[in-house]
Amino acid sequence: MKRYVYINDNESSHKLYCDNRISNRKYTVLNFLPKNLWEQFGRFMNQYFLLIACLQLWSLITPVNPASTWGPLIFIFAVSASKEAWDDYNRYFSDKKANEKLVWVVRQGIRKHIQAQDIHVGNIVWLRENDEVPCDLVLIGTSDPQGLCYVETSALDGETDLKTRVIPATCMGIDFELLHKIKGVIECPNPDKDIRRFDANLRLFPPFIDNDVCPLTIKNTILQSCYLRNTEWACGVAVYTGNETKLGMSRGIPEPKLTAMDAMIDKLTGAIFVFQIVVVMVLGIAGNVWKDTEARKQWYVLYPLEGPWYELLVIPLRFELLCSIMIPISIKVSLDLVKSLYAKFIDWDSEMIDYETGIPSHATNTAISEDLGQVEYIMTDKTGTLTENRMIFRRCCISGVFYGNESGDALKDTKLLNAVAVSSPDVVQFVTVMAICNTVIPIKSKTGAILYKAQSQDEDALVNAAAQLHMVYANKNANILEIRFNGSVIKYELLEILEFTSDRKRMSVVVKDCQNGKFVLLSKGADEAILPYAYDGQQTRTFIEAVEQYAQLGLRTLCLAWRELKEDEYQEWSLMFKEASSTLVDREWRIAEVCQRLERDFEVLGVTAIEDRLQDGVPETIETLRKAGINFWMLTGDKQNTAIQIALSCNFISPEPKGQLLLIDGKTEDEVCRSLERVLLTMRITSSEPKDVAFVVDGWALEIALKHYRKVFTELAILSRTAICCRVTPSQKAQLVELLKSCDYRTLAIGDGGNDVRMIQQADIGVGISGREGLQAARAADYSIGKFRFLKRLILVHGRYSYNRTAFLSQYSFYKSLVICFIQILSFWN
Amino acid sequence: MSSNTPSSSAGGVGSADSSAPRRNSKRPKYSKFTQQELPACKPILTPRWVISAFILVSIVFIPIGVVSLFASQDVVEIIDRYETECVPQDFRNNKVSFIQSDANKTCTRRLTVTKRMKQPIYVYYQLDNFYQNHRRYVKSRSDSQLKDNSSWNDVSSCKPEDDSNGQPIVPCGLIAWSLFNDTYNFSLNNQQLAVNKTEISWKSDRDSKFGNDVFPRNFQNGTLIGGKSLDPTVPLSEQEDLIVWMRTAALPTFRKLYGKIERDLQPNEVIHVTLENNYNTYSFNGKKKLVLSTTSWLGGKNDFLGIAYLTVGGLCFFLALSFTVVYLVKPRRLGDPSYLSWNRNPGGQ
């Protein structure tokens, strides 16, 4: 199944594909009433009450006034319906806003401002910097001469770093004006929801150079709801529109969450219904027998000798009506009412207000408060949830000299500032590595200040610290890096990036100093990945000491190193690197091997120490909640070492010998399987000992484990009270939640970033922290709080209260109606 | 119901940035209610509290029980069950046919006064196994017709006894139709003993439920005759037997007031009762009893109340006593956590 998109051909595709109107609405004005009623009557309780209400209209059998059932029934229906209507109206409203947004689209060769909903497949859409992408586009032109553009995809996959997108090769170098008139055909698959795949072909029609078909990948697309950043303009052909975009296809309305209590009430209702039927049958039959034997003798009742055909039914149906209040119609309304009060109590709680930002806690979902008191597993994000997500460069050790040890802040250490001022070579080298050994993209804002877009917060901290030490990473123009140092501009040509992998635990860049043409390798990485590769004769003892000292303070350490390369050495290596990069089998391993050849004989420059402060009260909160029997899992996209370090410092796991960390790793199925079984074995042995055993798994191993060894992994998950999962993707987080849910555990997911949204929606209870990574998580969550430590109060106070109250209320409701019902039956019997 | 409906912004276009400042100003005002700090008390049931509560209950209940028992003992009651005795020996095997025949139903009973009875002495008839609360029966009346002459033909609710010969019946319905029709005549030492039959019904019934302009009409005119006939010249508000009967009893055994004897009766006096045994309780094996009873400040003869009070009071006293013994012999520290289930067998969970 393919779709053919004819670029700029206004006629052919109009009828074939839908326009770009987005609709999240459930109802229209016309179908609201029937559809809503139909939905409400889908529920067993409502069907039951309707049946009872209808029976009551038959005056022969009704013992009470029909209004006593019709009134509440209509009231309940009206409340539910108006709530639905209000929600749907809000959806309609936000859709309308998105649909009526103005965008630039080419019509008849001229750019026009039209509403987003009028975009059709095949239209060329123009975007400017910071515009939101209105539909799925195939790029055909950007302001960048090399055809690059940057997009932010956080709404799509939760990753906050900028991604590069490139125009297809055929479109390279097409003139700005010609882009309006471009014609061609894109052959692409039917809409699907895979945001990582787009296998399509593009063929341009003459007069453009017709070099057959050009393959397109996801790299050539910009998808709906991304933002164009750092690029002056870009234009693309709409291929999927409206609800058929990748985002639209993957957008499911998350299922309404049901609490354990609701499920219990449903079960109880069923049981009572069965009981009621039994009572009705027994009493009905008894009543009929009595009537036929005894009541005929009671002459004053004057029973007719022959009754109508339904006579046998009358007494059972009367009993049914009498018993109908066994299932309390009021329970739903009263539960909803008190639940919204619980939610209000959470909103009102003055002990859960974040006084720094003035953000109170908020319960978005009012229906599930009592589940807070039933939580068994808490899945927590790390960065921004446990920590403040504010990496700060605190200390450093440059060629044996410690800076920042007295004041606790190296940037205020006059010794260091002086050293920078006099351009002490060691220090300058060190700061240069801080500034450019990274994948940071500097962005000039309108005020002239430079903002850094970094994939990792560490790099961000380092670059910012370097900037404060007057080594400002000012601009990145293709491969030319511009550094301003003490007033002068230094340019470097970026030649290679040896990317970070968790195996190598370091990353390096090869740059060419544009001033003197020297080739330099700059590296930074974990101590065990840098220090052993120092050149012979360098004393690394002070660095080891520094690392130990910093680690004890809970700081994240990185070692910085550098090496000058000879030109031919680089050229030779560069060929090998290119070859390795293009191999198809074992590419990662080959690259690592090639990198290893270059990353040796380092001149170690120093050690940096970065602080990621834990939020206030995190260790205490975790300890209290663990004492309450709640198990914690940490799911983080971060590196293993950092994760473990943070876990240790916030009471997540205990240090040896009290605690034990078990690693699950491996690259292949066999390795993972073996390591899983080993861990499981240890787990089983130690489960009887009072020992804190936790397992650590990384994303790759997790992927394999979830795919092939789900059963074993599930068993492991049940056995272990603590787990750390690092380098996991948003969807893996959701999968883990799903896994625990499938074992019938009540899960709570807490997170702060866009990458936690799926886990939050998946979990029984989602808690969002309105933090620095924006409000996305908080908006998707059932509860939003300002700080992690409020979780304690949320669960132990509000959860407990809500659970107890709901339990009391529902039990009392059933008790009350059963009592009333039996009184009625007894009196009827007499 | 209140599911978190996904604000379409959960992923939709146009989500981005319309959210931030909306809740900054929602800082709630402090109040004890919002902070869930309202004073609350939950009594801890310490042994002292429990024991004193039980003692208090027994102190209050036992005297009440004794007093009401005494009051009940003071009431003098003469009960005479007559439904079998008043059927002639020949008809004992087939009482229904006797009661439905035209035979003479007069019957004489002798009642001996055991203790002195002070006036007023109430005369009741007591029926057994008679379901005045039957749904079909209890609904079969027309309150508007009883009250108001103008709605004399409002008989829709009176089925199956709504009309006869095509004319509405006043008073209609099964209740009125089955009006009790045994009569009693008392004589003491060959002297007629007057029975006052006025003011035996509720005043509110006479005044507002039964109209003084409503006269019986077409009553007991059908093929099946249920019970007593009514004098068509007397308005319903003065037909007190009917009014008493129409206040239906909740239970199948009930007494209804027949009249009052307004003089004292001395011990060993013998009352002769001449009764007309007309009412058919034989088809459903119902009993008929004639009851003469005095009252005390607590009403009629009823030992149950006193016994109930005494039982509860005695039980509480017994509990208080045994708790005191347990408390003195084997005291236990309050709130001892070692009794908690998870502390009993450590590690077992």
Side-chain angles (χ1 to χ4, degrees), chain A residues 80 94 227 247 299-300 302 336, chain B residues 1 8 11 16 131 133 136 280:
Chain A
S80 303
S94 72
Y227 284 85
L247 180 74
W299 54 268
Y300 49 88
L302 272 186
D336 281 343
Chain B
M1 183 165 82
S8 74
Y131 290 87
N133 58 2
R136 203 177 146 82
N280 177 12

Side-chain angles (χ1 to χ4, degrees), chain A residues 24 62 80 87 94 98 132 224 227 247 251 256 299-302 304 318 336 345 348 350 353 365 801 805 830, chain B residues 1-6 8 11-14 16 27-28 33 35-36 130-131 133 135-136 161 174 280 283-284:
Chain A
N24 290 309
T62 178
S80 303
D87 287 344
S94 72
E132 192 180 348
Q224 187 184 44
Y227 284 85
L247 180 74
R251 171 175 48 217
W299 54 268
Y300 49 88
V301 181
L302 272 186
R318 272 187 203 152
D336 281 343
F345 275 135
W348 283 332
S350 66
I353 297 175
N365 187 346
Y801 274 170
R805 287 167 182 168
N830 275 317
Chain B
M1 183 165 82
S2 34
S3 67
N4 65 329
T5 43
S8 74
V13 173
R27 261 288 285 291
F33 174 69
Q35 301 308 312
Q36 307 190 66
F130 190 102
Y131 290 87
N133 58 2
R135 186 180 162 72
R136 203 177 146 82
E161 204 50 43
L174 286 173
N280 177 12
S283 56
F284 51 89

Side-chain angles (χ1 to χ4, degrees), chain A residues 13-51:
Chain A
S13 59
H14 268 201
K15 276 152 224 127
L16 272 174
Y17 311 119
C18 66
D19 61 8
N20 197 32
R21 188 188 302 272
I22 299 159
S23 170
N24 290 309
R25 281 159 60 192
K26 234 163 113 188
Y27 308 108
T28 63
V29 175
L30 278 179
N31 76 7
F32 175 75
L33 210 63
K35 198 173 170 186
N36 186 267
L37 281 180
W38 180 251
E39 266 174 17
Q40 295 207 40
F41 281 124
R43 276 175 236 143
F44 171 72
M45 274 252 219
N46 290 343
Q47 286 171 3
Y48 171 77
F49 290 130
L50 184 75
L51 176 79

Side-chain angles (χ1 to χ4, degrees), chain A residues 31 215 267 480 570 596 668 802:
Chain A
N31 76 7
K267 264 191 218 158
I480 305 296
Y570 166 70
Q596 186 75 54
T668 63
S802 309

